[in-house]
Amino acid sequence: MAALASISLLGGCGLLSGGSSQAQQEITVGTTSEPSTLDPAASWDGSWELYRNVFQTLVAFPTGSSSPQPDAAQSCQFQDKSSRTFTCTLRKGMTFSDGARLDANAVKYSIDRIVKINVKAGPKGLLSSLDHVTVDNDLTVTFHLNKPDATFPYVLGAPAMSIVDPKAYPADKLRDDGGLTGSGPYTLDSYKPGDRAVLKKNDSYQGFAQLKNDGVTIRYFRDSKTMVDALKSKQIDVTYRGITADEVEDVRNEKAAGKPLELVENTGTEIRFLVFNPKDPEAANPAVRRAVAQLVDRDALVAKVYKGTAEPLYSMVPTGVNGHTTSFFDAFGSPSVDKARQILRKAGITAPVPLTFWYTTDRYGSSMAAEFQELKRQLDASGLFSVTLNSRPWKTYTEGFQAGDFPVFGRGWFPDFPDPDNFIAPFVGKENAVGTPYDPREITTQLIPQSREISDRGAVSKQFERAQDILVDDVRLLPLWQGKLYIAASDDIAGGERAMDPQTVMQMWELHRKTSW
């Protein structure tokens, strides 16, 4: 892929013009995805949706782009054919929102502190191929890799790699004063946890984003019904992340009845899956995990809970991404109580297996409770399991699974970048995004390293098909479904169809009022 060998500045995407003859316009957006932290060094989750709009990365993914393009960088390229030395040259004259200079030293500092702080289940897991970073001059930074990695430019586009001001962010610990200093399209004017973030246009921003509004207020809702009601009553202009299937249908019906609402449907690469914790004596048993995989009825789950807004998923790599397979269906076929019973009996298990399933109440929308109730119903009805359900808000939920406290828990995944690597690599290894060490050696030492030597990302199917067969054998991760993405908005709001980037992160700058743009 040529974009991996050399990334040049997009034509026509220079400095944002400082003035505007348009009327002042601001947008209010509702979401159920509240940040877990304001510090990029700690986040490998939905906090990225805020980061993308207030920080910059060297490269990023403009709407319609499937490969990274320069943002804070003027240009980036590999210096060698083995994809082990990657150099970026920054734009001139860049500053942070506090006026401090953004230069190559700031880039190195930002990446180094991710590695040094090393938050559990944090973004250091994305940097497994990085050996060290050097500053060549004020505007040039080079990443030296410890092995070939053709996906490294994609990694640098992840919002966790946001560039921070060295004066505002400690080198060896997380920033904890509730502040945020970036260089992105917006500045954070104010932030109240659990309530709202107020973003204002950053007039000193340099990058590819072309702002179509003057500011955005992001309101954080505990449940999607309250959020959709706020949309209907015009307290907010746009919703994203977390509306249920019933609410999607409700918005459709309201629109059909002439109400001033719009619904934008996007092809999604969001996936949902279960994680089995080997610290738990029941979940550690392969027979227990395989029996669960044999019983779960994905068709019933998506029909009852998601009603056409999701489809069954039988591999960790979703439909539409290179390397997708149906490995779990090939191995287990249709749900079968008899086959599950045989799996358990063969392992000497005759009594119903007690399992505790955990889910988060506020990260993935209000449907999570109904989804886990349906999973419990399916497993309990078999007579082979006795499932207990527990839940927590996302902030304490992440603490729980990172500490290894949950026997079985639900996770969703919105891709860091559109490549099959990002649906396998984050979940394996001693340090991974789900907080439970899982090191299938063939995947971590052979298949992923082999695939990362291939710059043509369309030619890596063989490695990822084999990796998914291994995941099926282990059943440490059990894929459930793949979802579609919906943006509901007032009918005077435009830009929703362009607002989701390939990482399924909302680019707030694309939203605007039809009457004033």
Side-chain angles (χ1 to χ4, degrees):
M1 183 182 294
L4 290 175
S6 177
I7 302 175
S8 300
L9 185 64
L10 287 174
C13 294
L15 286 171
L16 175 71
S17 58
S20 174
S21 60
Q22 304 297 332
Q24 179 83 3
Q25 59 157 320
E26 297 187 354
I27 308 292
T28 302
V29 177
T31 179
T32 60
S33 180
E34 178 189 354
S36 62
T37 173
L38 296 184
D39 193 326
S43 173
W44 202 350
D45 63 15
S47 305
W48 289 12
E49 291 163 339
L50 177 62
Y51 299 169
R52 175 57 74 211
N53 293 278
V54 294
F55 289 107
Q56 278 183 286
T57 46
L58 286 169
V59 296
F61 295 86
T63 300
S65 171
S66 60
S67 59
Q69 303 295 334
D71 188 17
Q74 177 78 22
S75 63
C76 295
Q77 63 182 355
F78 277 112
Q79 300 296 320
D80 57 343
K81 293 182 179 180
S82 64
S83 301
R84 293 186 61 163
T85 307
F86 191 72
T87 297
C88 290
T89 301
L90 279 69
R91 299 171 185 262
K92 297 179 180 179
M94 296 195 13
T95 61
F96 292 102
S97 57
D98 61 359
R101 186 182 181 190
L102 194 166
D103 57 13
N105 285 300
V107 174
K108 173 178 167 56
Y109 184 91
S110 301
I111 302 300
D112 284 350
R113 72 186 293 268
I114 293 173
V115 176
K116 186 170 186 177
I117 296 173
N118 191 19
V119 172
K120 185 174 176 58
K124 182 187 174 183
L126 287 166
L127 296 169
S128 62
S129 63
L130 179 65
D131 186 79
H132 65 283
V133 186
T134 58
V135 172
D136 304 331
N137 55 54
D138 284 352
L139 296 178
T140 307
V141 60
T142 296
F143 301 89
H144 304 270
L145 309 185
N146 53 38
K147 53 194 170 186
D149 187 359
T151 71
F152 192 74
Y154 292 86
V155 170
L156 288 179
M161 304 300 140
S162 294
I163 307 167
V164 301
D165 180 0
K167 295 179 181 178
Y169 291 81
D172 56 356
K173 63 179 181 178
L174 298 177
R175 179 173 176 175
D176 58 6
D177 64 356
L180 186 155
T181 309
S183 60
Y186 299 97
T187 60
L188 183 64
D189 186 66
S190 64
Y191 178 72
K192 184 178 180 182
D195 182 25
R196 69 190 63 206
V198 179
L199 313 185
K200 298 296 184 182
K201 183 171 66 174
N202 181 5
D203 289 327
S204 63
Y205 164 72
Q206 296 187 52
F208 65 73
Q210 299 185 23
L211 276 71
K212 297 177 182 177
N213 58 62
D214 294 293
V216 175
T217 296
I218 306 173
R219 287 188 53 191
Y220 301 112
F221 291 84
R222 290 293 182 186
D223 66 88
S224 54
K225 182 182 185 306
T226 305
M227 181 173 69
V228 173
D229 287 345
L231 174 67
K232 292 178 181 178
S233 61
K234 293 191 174 297
Q235 298 175 52
I236 61 176
D237 301 304
V238 182
T239 69
Y240 77 107
R241 286 274 189 261
I243 60 175
T244 67
D246 287 338
E247 288 153 359
V248 168
E249 188 62 25
D250 182 32
V251 172
R252 282 199 182 107
N253 291 338
E254 295 261 315
K255 174 178 168 58
K259 298 294 179 62
L261 295 172
E262 296 288 347
L263 188 69
V264 177
E265 179 180 308
N266 293 277
T267 300
T269 51
E270 171 194 3
I271 66 171
R272 199 69 54 83
F273 57 98
L274 295 178
V275 182
F276 292 87
N277 184 355
K279 290 184 179 180
D280 179 76
E282 304 292 354
N285 190 328
V288 169
R289 302 195 299 264
R290 291 182 65 82
V292 172
Q294 184 63 71
L295 287 171
V296 168
D297 188 339
R298 295 168 177 82
D299 288 324
L301 179 67
V302 299
K304 291 182 179 181
V305 179
Y306 293 102
K307 303 176 182 178
T309 63
E311 57 185 30
L313 182 63
Y314 295 95
S315 74
M316 291 298 290
V317 178
T319 303
V321 176
N322 181 40
H324 168 73
T325 69
T326 56
S327 299
F328 274 87
F329 185 84
D330 298 341
F332 293 98
S334 299
S336 170
V337 174
D338 289 339
K339 290 181 179 179
R341 183 180 294 110
Q342 291 172 18
I343 292 170
L344 293 174
R345 297 296 184 266
K346 190 174 181 179
I349 301 172
T350 56
V353 179
L355 281 178
T356 301
F357 280 30
W358 284 81
Y359 64 93
T360 178
T361 57
D362 59 353
R363 169 68 180 100
Y364 305 117
S366 303
S367 295
M368 281 294 281
E371 176 177 335
F372 274 74
Q373 286 287 350
E374 173 60 17
L375 290 171
K376 171 180 167 60
R377 184 197 68 78
Q378 292 179 10
L379 296 180
D380 286 356
S382 72
L384 304 176
F385 289 91
S386 176
V387 175
T388 299
L389 298 182
N390 282 321
S391 62
R392 287 182 186 175
W394 179 250
K395 284 190 175 182
T396 54
Y397 186 75
T398 57
E399 295 170 359
F401 71 69
Q402 289 170 6
D405 294 341
F406 303 160
V408 185
F409 58 96
R411 277 299 308 266
W413 188 250
F414 307 98
D416 304 323
F417 48 85
D419 188 275
D421 184 284
N422 196 236
F423 293 92
I424 303 290
F427 312 123
V428 297
K430 295 179 181 179
E431 297 178 353
N432 60 51
V434 294
T436 57
Y438 173 38
D439 194 15
R441 300 299 292 168
E442 185 179 348
I443 295 178
T444 58
T445 65
Q446 297 180 43
L447 298 174
I448 290 177
Q450 288 170 8
S451 72
R452 289 178 175 177
E453 293 180 7
I454 302 172
S455 60
D456 179 1
R457 303 309 294 164
V460 296
S461 295
K462 181 179 178 180
Q463 286 83 1
F464 289 104
E465 289 168 3
R466 171 58 188 154
Q468 290 174 89
D469 288 341
I470 295 169
L471 297 181
V472 169
D473 290 340
D474 294 343
V475 199
R476 285 282 302 278
L477 308 167
L478 182 63
L480 297 174
W481 56 263
Q482 171 181 353
K484 300 174 183 177
L485 291 173
Y486 293 90
I487 297 174
S490 298
D491 66 354
D492 66 330
I493 299 295
E497 69 284 350
R498 291 183 53 82
M500 283 290 186
D501 73 2
Q503 298 163 304
T504 69
V505 172
M506 176 76 87
Q507 300 181 141
M508 302 292 182
W509 57 83
E510 293 284 359
L511 300 171
H512 59 92
R513 298 189 187 281
K514 296 176 182 177
T515 56
S516 60
W517 186 257

Coordinates of all heavy atoms in Angstrom, one line a residue, residues 32-36 45-46 221-224 241-242 244 270-275 306 356-373 375 388-402 406 408-414 480-481:
T32 N -23.8 8.6 25.2 CA -23.7 7.8 26.4 C -22.3 7.4 26.7 O -22.0 6.6 27.7 CB -24.6 6.5 26.4 OG1 -24.1 5.7 25.3 CG2 -26.0 6.9 26.2
S33 N -21.3 7.9 26.0 CA -19.9 7.5 26.1 C -19.1 8.6 26.7 O -18.5 9.4 26.1 CB -19.3 7.2 24.7 OG -18.0 6.8 24.8
E34 N -19.1 8.6 28.1 CA -18.3 9.6 28.8 C -16.9 9.2 28.9 O -16.5 8.0 29.0 CB -18.9 9.7 30.2 CG -18.1 10.7 31.1 CD -18.6 10.6 32.6 OE1 -19.5 9.9 32.9 OE2 -17.9 11.3 33.4
P35 N -15.9 10.1 28.8 CA -14.5 9.8 28.9 C -14.2 9.2 30.3 O -14.7 9.6 31.3 CB -13.8 11.1 28.8 CG -14.8 12.0 28.1 CD -16.1 11.6 28.5
S36 N -13.3 8.2 30.3 CA -12.9 7.6 31.5 C -11.7 8.4 32.1 O -11.4 8.3 33.3 CB -12.5 6.1 31.3 OG -11.4 6.0 30.4
D45 N -10.0 3.5 25.0 CA -11.5 3.3 25.1 C -12.2 4.5 24.5 O -11.6 5.3 23.7 CB -11.9 3.1 26.6 CG -11.6 4.3 27.5 OD1 -11.3 5.4 27.0 OD2 -11.7 4.2 28.7
G46 N -13.4 4.7 24.8 CA -14.2 5.7 24.2 C -13.8 7.2 24.5 O -14.4 8.1 23.9
F221 N -24.9 11.4 28.8 CA -26.2 10.8 29.4 C -25.9 9.4 30.0 O -25.2 8.6 29.4 CB -27.2 10.7 28.3 CG -27.8 12.1 27.8 CD1 -27.1 12.8 26.9 CD2 -28.9 12.6 28.4 CE1 -27.5 14.0 26.4 CE2 -29.4 13.8 28.0 CZ -28.7 14.5 27.0
R222 N -26.6 9.1 31.1 CA -26.5 7.8 31.7 C -27.3 6.8 31.0 O -26.9 5.6 31.0 CB -27.0 7.9 33.2 CG -26.1 8.7 34.1 CD -24.8 8.0 34.3 NE -23.9 8.7 35.2 CZ -22.6 8.4 35.5 NH1 -22.1 7.3 34.8 NH2 -21.9 9.1 36.3
D223 N -28.4 7.2 30.3 CA -29.1 6.2 29.5 C -29.6 6.8 28.2 O -29.8 8.0 28.1 CB -30.3 5.7 30.4 CG -31.4 6.8 30.6 OD1 -32.3 7.0 29.8 OD2 -31.2 7.4 31.7
S224 N -29.8 6.0 27.3 CA -30.1 6.5 25.9 C -31.5 7.0 25.8 O -31.8 7.9 24.9 CB -29.9 5.3 24.9 OG -30.6 4.2 25.2
R241 N -23.6 7.1 19.5 CA -23.2 6.1 20.5 C -24.3 5.8 21.5 O -24.6 6.6 22.4 CB -22.0 6.6 21.3 CG -20.7 6.6 20.6 CD -20.0 5.2 20.6 NE -18.7 5.3 20.1 CZ -18.3 5.0 18.8 NH1 -19.3 4.4 18.0 NH2 -17.1 5.1 18.4
G242 N -24.8 4.6 21.4 CA -25.6 4.0 22.5 C -27.1 4.0 22.3 O -27.8 3.5 23.2
T244 N -30.6 2.5 21.4 CA -31.0 1.1 21.3 C -31.8 0.9 20.0 O -32.1 1.9 19.2 CB -32.0 0.8 22.4 OG1 -33.2 1.5 22.3 CG2 -31.3 1.1 23.8
E270 N -18.0 -1.9 14.6 CA -18.1 -2.1 16.0 C -18.4 -3.6 16.2 O -19.3 -4.2 15.6 CB -19.2 -1.3 16.6 CG -19.6 -1.6 18.1 CD -20.9 -1.0 18.6 OE1 -21.6 -0.4 17.8 OE2 -21.2 -1.2 19.8
I271 N -17.7 -4.2 17.2 CA -18.0 -5.6 17.5 C -18.3 -5.7 19.0 O -17.8 -4.8 19.8 CB -16.9 -6.6 17.1 CG1 -15.6 -6.3 17.9 CG2 -16.7 -6.5 15.6 CD1 -14.5 -7.4 17.7
R272 N -19.0 -6.7 19.4 CA -19.2 -7.0 20.8 C -18.8 -8.4 21.1 O -19.1 -9.3 20.3 CB -20.7 -6.8 21.2 CG -21.0 -6.6 22.6 CD -20.5 -5.3 23.2 NE -20.9 -4.1 22.4 CZ -22.1 -3.5 22.6 NH1 -23.0 -3.9 23.4 NH2 -22.4 -2.4 21.9
F273 N -18.2 -8.7 22.3 CA -17.7 -10.0 22.5 C -17.6 -10.3 24.0 O -17.7 -9.3 24.8 CB -16.3 -10.3 21.9 CG -15.3 -9.3 22.3 CD1 -14.3 -9.6 23.3 CD2 -15.2 -8.1 21.6 CE1 -13.3 -8.7 23.6 CE2 -14.2 -7.1 22.0 CZ -13.3 -7.5 23.0
L274 N -17.5 -11.5 24.4 CA -17.3 -11.9 25.8 C -15.8 -12.2 26.0 O -15.1 -12.8 25.2 CB -18.1 -13.1 26.2 CG -19.6 -13.0 26.2 CD1 -20.3 -14.3 26.5 CD2 -20.1 -11.9 27.2
V275 N -15.3 -11.9 27.2 CA -14.0 -12.2 27.6 C -14.0 -13.2 28.8 O -14.7 -12.9 29.8 CB -13.2 -11.0 28.0 CG1 -11.7 -11.3 28.4 CG2 -13.2 -9.9 26.9
Y306 N -31.5 -6.4 19.3 CA -31.0 -5.4 18.4 C -31.8 -5.2 17.1 O -31.6 -4.2 16.4 CB -29.5 -5.7 18.1 CG -28.7 -5.5 19.3 CD1 -28.3 -6.6 20.0 CD2 -28.4 -4.2 19.8 CE1 -27.5 -6.4 21.2 CE2 -27.7 -4.0 20.9 CZ -27.2 -5.1 21.6 OH -26.5 -4.9 22.8
T356 N -20.5 -15.9 36.7 CA -20.9 -14.6 36.9 C -20.5 -13.7 35.7 O -19.3 -13.7 35.3 CB -20.3 -14.0 38.2 OG1 -20.7 -14.8 39.3 CG2 -20.7 -12.5 38.4
F357 N -21.5 -13.1 35.0 CA -21.3 -12.3 33.9 C -21.4 -10.8 34.3 O -22.3 -10.5 35.0 CB -22.3 -12.6 32.8 CG -22.1 -13.8 32.0 CD1 -21.4 -14.9 32.5 CD2 -22.5 -13.8 30.6 CE1 -21.2 -16.0 31.7 CE2 -22.3 -14.9 29.9 CZ -21.7 -16.1 30.4
W358 N -20.4 -10.0 33.8 CA -20.4 -8.6 34.1 C -20.6 -7.8 32.9 O -20.1 -8.2 31.8 CB -19.1 -8.2 34.8 CG -19.0 -8.6 36.2 CD1 -18.6 -9.8 36.7 CD2 -19.2 -7.7 37.3 NE1 -18.6 -9.8 38.1 CE2 -18.9 -8.5 38.5 CE3 -19.5 -6.4 37.5 CZ2 -19.0 -8.0 39.8 CZ3 -19.6 -5.9 38.8 CH2 -19.3 -6.7 39.9
Y359 N -21.3 -6.7 33.0 CA -21.5 -5.7 31.9 C -21.5 -4.3 32.4 O -21.7 -4.1 33.6 CB -22.7 -6.0 31.1 CG -24.0 -5.8 31.8 CD1 -24.7 -4.6 31.8 CD2 -24.6 -6.8 32.6 CE1 -25.9 -4.4 32.5 CE2 -25.8 -6.7 33.3 CZ -26.4 -5.4 33.2 OH -27.6 -5.2 33.9
T360 N -21.2 -3.4 31.5 CA -21.2 -2.0 31.9 C -22.5 -1.3 31.7 O -23.2 -1.6 30.6 CB -20.0 -1.2 31.2 OG1 -20.1 0.2 31.6 CG2 -20.2 -1.2 29.7
T361 N -22.9 -0.4 32.5 CA -24.3 0.2 32.4 C -24.3 1.4 31.5 O -25.4 1.8 31.1 CB -24.7 0.6 33.8 OG1 -23.8 1.5 34.4 CG2 -24.9 -0.6 34.7
D362 N -23.2 2.0 31.2 CA -23.3 3.3 30.5 C -22.2 3.5 29.4 O -22.2 4.6 28.9 CB -23.1 4.4 31.6 CG -21.8 4.4 32.3 OD1 -21.0 3.4 32.1 OD2 -21.5 5.3 33.1
R363 N -21.5 2.5 29.0 CA -20.5 2.7 27.9 C -21.1 2.5 26.6 O -21.0 3.2 25.6 CB -19.3 1.9 28.1 CG -18.3 1.8 27.0 CD -17.7 3.1 26.8 NE -16.7 3.1 25.6 CZ -17.0 3.6 24.4 NH1 -18.2 4.1 24.2 NH2 -16.1 3.5 23.5
Y364 N -21.9 1.4 26.4 CA -22.4 0.9 25.1 C -23.8 1.1 24.9 O -24.4 0.6 24.0 CB -22.0 -0.6 24.9 CG -20.5 -0.9 25.1 CD1 -20.1 -1.7 26.2 CD2 -19.6 -0.3 24.3 CE1 -18.8 -2.0 26.3 CE2 -18.2 -0.6 24.5 CZ -17.8 -1.4 25.5 OH -16.5 -1.7 25.7
G365 N -24.5 1.8 25.8 CA -25.9 2.1 25.6 C -26.8 1.2 26.5 O -26.3 0.3 27.1
S366 N -28.1 1.5 26.5 CA -29.0 0.9 27.4 C -29.3 -0.5 27.0 O -29.9 -1.3 27.8 CB -30.3 1.7 27.5 OG -30.0 3.0 27.9
S367 N -29.0 -1.0 25.8 CA -29.3 -2.3 25.4 C -28.4 -3.4 26.1 O -28.7 -4.6 26.0 CB -29.1 -2.5 23.9 OG -30.0 -1.7 23.2
M368 N -27.3 -3.0 26.7 CA -26.4 -3.9 27.4 C -27.2 -4.8 28.4 O -26.9 -6.0 28.5 CB -25.2 -3.2 28.0 CG -24.2 -2.8 27.0 SD -23.3 -4.2 26.3 CE -22.2 -4.7 27.6
A369 N -28.0 -4.2 29.2 CA -28.7 -4.9 30.2 C -29.6 -6.0 29.5 O -29.6 -7.2 30.0 CB -29.6 -4.0 31.1
A370 N -30.3 -5.6 28.5 CA -31.2 -6.6 27.8 C -30.4 -7.7 27.1 O -30.8 -8.9 27.1 CB -32.0 -5.9 26.7
E371 N -29.2 -7.3 26.6 CA -28.3 -8.3 25.9 C -27.9 -9.4 26.9 O -27.9 -10.6 26.7 CB -27.1 -7.6 25.3 CG -26.1 -8.5 24.7 CD -24.9 -7.8 24.1 OE1 -25.1 -6.6 23.7 OE2 -23.8 -8.4 24.0
F372 N -27.5 -8.9 28.1 CA -27.0 -9.9 29.1 C -28.1 -10.7 29.8 O -27.9 -11.8 30.1 CB -26.1 -9.2 30.1 CG -24.6 -9.1 29.6 CD1 -24.3 -8.2 28.6 CD2 -23.7 -10.0 30.1 CE1 -23.0 -8.2 28.2 CE2 -22.4 -9.9 29.7 CZ -22.0 -9.0 28.7
Q373 N -29.3 -10.1 29.8 CA -30.4 -10.9 30.3 C -30.7 -12.0 29.3 O -31.1 -13.1 29.7 CB -31.6 -10.0 30.4 CG -31.6 -9.0 31.6 CD -31.8 -9.8 33.0 OE1 -32.2 -10.9 33.0 NE2 -31.6 -9.1 34.1
L375 N -28.5 -13.4 27.3 CA -27.5 -14.4 27.4 C -27.7 -15.3 28.6 O -27.6 -16.6 28.5 CB -26.1 -13.8 27.5 CG -25.6 -13.1 26.2 CD1 -24.3 -12.3 26.6 CD2 -25.2 -14.1 25.2
T388 N -25.2 -15.6 37.0 CA -25.5 -14.4 37.8 C -25.0 -13.2 37.1 O -23.9 -13.2 36.5 CB -24.7 -14.5 39.2 OG1 -25.2 -15.6 39.9 CG2 -25.0 -13.2 40.0
L389 N -25.8 -12.1 37.0 CA -25.4 -10.9 36.3 C -25.1 -9.8 37.3 O -25.7 -9.6 38.3 CB -26.6 -10.4 35.5 CG -27.0 -11.4 34.3 CD1 -28.2 -10.7 33.6 CD2 -25.9 -11.7 33.4
N390 N -24.0 -9.1 37.0 CA -23.6 -7.9 37.8 C -23.2 -6.8 36.8 O -22.8 -7.1 35.6 CB -22.4 -8.2 38.7 CG -22.8 -9.0 39.9 OD1 -23.8 -8.7 40.5 ND2 -22.0 -9.9 40.4
S391 N -23.2 -5.6 37.2 CA -22.9 -4.5 36.3 C -22.3 -3.3 37.1 O -22.5 -3.2 38.4 CB -24.2 -4.0 35.6 OG -25.1 -3.5 36.5
R392 N -21.6 -2.4 36.4 CA -21.0 -1.2 37.0 C -21.0 -0.1 35.9 O -20.9 -0.5 34.7 CB -19.6 -1.5 37.4 CG -19.4 -2.3 38.7 CD -17.9 -2.4 39.0 NE -17.6 -3.2 40.1 CZ -16.4 -3.5 40.5 NH1 -15.4 -3.0 39.9 NH2 -16.2 -4.3 41.6
P393 N -20.9 1.1 36.3 CA -20.6 2.2 35.4 C -19.2 2.0 34.8 O -18.3 1.4 35.5 CB -20.7 3.5 36.2 CG -21.5 3.1 37.4 CD -21.2 1.7 37.7
W394 N -18.9 2.5 33.6 CA -17.7 2.3 32.9 C -16.5 2.6 33.7 O -15.5 1.8 33.7 CB -17.7 3.1 31.6 CG -16.5 2.9 30.8 CD1 -15.5 3.8 30.5 CD2 -16.1 1.7 30.1 NE1 -14.5 3.2 29.7 CE2 -14.8 1.9 29.4 CE3 -16.7 0.4 29.9 CZ2 -14.2 1.0 28.7 CZ3 -16.0 -0.6 29.2 CH2 -14.8 -0.3 28.5
K395 N -16.4 3.7 34.4 CA -15.2 4.0 35.1 C -14.8 3.0 36.1 O -13.6 2.6 36.2 CB -15.3 5.4 35.8 CG -15.3 6.6 34.8 CD -15.2 7.9 35.5 CE -15.0 9.1 34.6 NZ -14.9 10.4 35.2
T396 N -15.7 2.5 36.9 CA -15.3 1.4 37.8 C -15.3 0.1 37.2 O -14.7 -0.9 37.7 CB -16.3 1.4 39.0 OG1 -17.6 1.3 38.6 CG2 -16.1 2.7 39.8
Y397 N -16.0 -0.1 36.1 CA -16.0 -1.3 35.3 C -14.6 -1.6 34.8 O -14.1 -2.7 34.9 CB -17.0 -1.2 34.2 CG -17.2 -2.5 33.4 CD1 -18.0 -3.5 33.9 CD2 -16.7 -2.6 32.1 CE1 -18.2 -4.7 33.2 CE2 -17.0 -3.8 31.3 CZ -17.7 -4.8 31.9 OH -17.9 -5.9 31.1
T398 N -14.0 -0.6 34.2 CA -12.6 -0.7 33.7 C -11.6 -1.1 34.8 O -10.8 -2.0 34.6 CB -12.1 0.5 33.0 OG1 -12.2 1.6 33.9 CG2 -12.9 0.9 31.8
E399 N -11.8 -0.5 36.0 CA -11.0 -0.9 37.1 C -11.1 -2.4 37.5 O -10.2 -3.1 37.8 CB -11.3 0.0 38.3 CG -11.0 1.5 38.1 CD -11.6 2.3 39.2 OE1 -12.2 1.7 40.1 OE2 -11.4 3.5 39.2
G400 N -12.4 -2.9 37.4 CA -12.7 -4.2 37.7 C -12.0 -5.2 36.8 O -11.4 -6.2 37.2
F401 N -12.2 -5.0 35.5 CA -11.7 -6.1 34.6 C -10.1 -5.9 34.5 O -9.5 -6.9 34.3 CB -12.4 -6.1 33.2 CG -12.1 -4.9 32.3 CD1 -10.9 -4.7 31.7 CD2 -13.1 -4.0 31.9 CE1 -10.6 -3.7 30.8 CE2 -12.9 -3.0 31.0 CZ -11.7 -2.8 30.5
Q402 N -9.6 -4.7 34.6 CA -8.2 -4.6 34.6 C -7.5 -5.3 35.9 O -6.4 -5.8 35.8 CB -7.8 -3.1 34.6 CG -8.1 -2.5 33.3 CD -7.9 -1.0 33.3 OE1 -7.5 -0.4 34.3 NE2 -8.3 -0.3 32.2
F406 N -13.4 -9.9 37.3 CA -14.7 -10.4 36.6 C -14.4 -11.8 36.0 O -13.5 -11.9 35.1 CB -15.2 -9.4 35.6 CG -15.4 -8.0 36.1 CD1 -15.5 -7.0 35.2 CD2 -15.6 -7.8 37.4 CE1 -15.7 -5.7 35.6 CE2 -15.9 -6.5 37.9 CZ -15.9 -5.4 37.0
V408 N -16.4 -13.5 33.8 CA -16.7 -13.4 32.4 C -17.3 -11.9 32.2 O -18.1 -11.5 33.0 CB -17.8 -14.4 31.9 CG1 -18.1 -14.3 30.4 CG2 -17.4 -15.8 32.3
F409 N -16.9 -11.2 31.2 CA -17.4 -9.9 31.0 C -17.5 -9.5 29.6 O -16.9 -10.0 28.7 CB -16.5 -8.9 31.8 CG -15.0 -8.8 31.4 CD1 -14.5 -7.9 30.5 CD2 -14.1 -9.7 31.9 CE1 -13.2 -7.8 30.1 CE2 -12.8 -9.7 31.6 CZ -12.3 -8.7 30.7
G410 N -18.3 -8.5 29.4 CA -18.6 -8.0 28.0 C -17.7 -6.9 27.6 O -17.5 -6.0 28.5
R411 N -17.3 -6.9 26.4 CA -16.5 -5.8 25.9 C -17.0 -5.4 24.5 O -17.4 -6.3 23.7 CB -15.0 -6.1 25.8 CG -14.2 -5.9 27.1 CD -14.2 -4.4 27.6 NE -13.8 -3.5 26.6 CZ -12.6 -3.0 26.4 NH1 -11.6 -3.5 27.2 NH2 -12.3 -2.1 25.5
G412 N -17.0 -4.2 24.2 CA -17.2 -3.7 22.8 C -15.9 -3.2 22.2 O -14.9 -2.9 23.0
W413 N -15.8 -3.2 20.9 CA -14.6 -2.7 20.3 C -14.9 -1.8 19.1 O -15.6 -2.2 18.2 CB -13.7 -3.9 19.9 CG -12.3 -3.4 19.4 CD1 -11.9 -3.5 18.1 CD2 -11.2 -2.9 20.2 NE1 -10.5 -3.1 18.1 CE2 -10.1 -2.7 19.3 CE3 -11.1 -2.6 21.6 CZ2 -8.9 -2.2 19.8 CZ3 -9.9 -2.1 22.0 CH2 -8.8 -1.9 21.1
F414 N -14.4 -0.6 19.1 CA -14.4 0.3 18.0 C -13.0 0.4 17.5 O -12.1 0.7 18.3 CB -15.0 1.7 18.4 CG -16.3 1.6 19.1 CD1 -16.3 1.7 20.5 CD2 -17.5 1.5 18.5 CE1 -17.5 1.6 21.2 CE2 -18.7 1.4 19.1 CZ -18.7 1.5 20.5
L480 N -19.8 -12.0 19.5 CA -21.3 -12.1 19.6 C -22.0 -11.4 18.4 O -22.7 -12.0 17.7 CB -21.8 -11.4 20.9 CG -21.3 -12.1 22.2 CD1 -21.8 -11.3 23.4 CD2 -21.8 -13.5 22.3
W481 N -21.7 -10.1 18.2 CA -22.4 -9.5 17.1 C -21.6 -8.3 16.6 O -20.6 -7.8 17.2 CB -23.8 -9.0 17.5 CG -23.9 -8.2 18.7 CD1 -24.2 -8.6 19.9 CD2 -23.8 -6.7 18.7 NE1 -24.3 -7.5 20.8 CE2 -24.0 -6.3 20.1 CE3 -23.5 -5.7 17.8 CZ2 -24.0 -5.0 20.5 CZ3 -23.5 -4.4 18.2 CH2 -23.7 -4.1 19.5

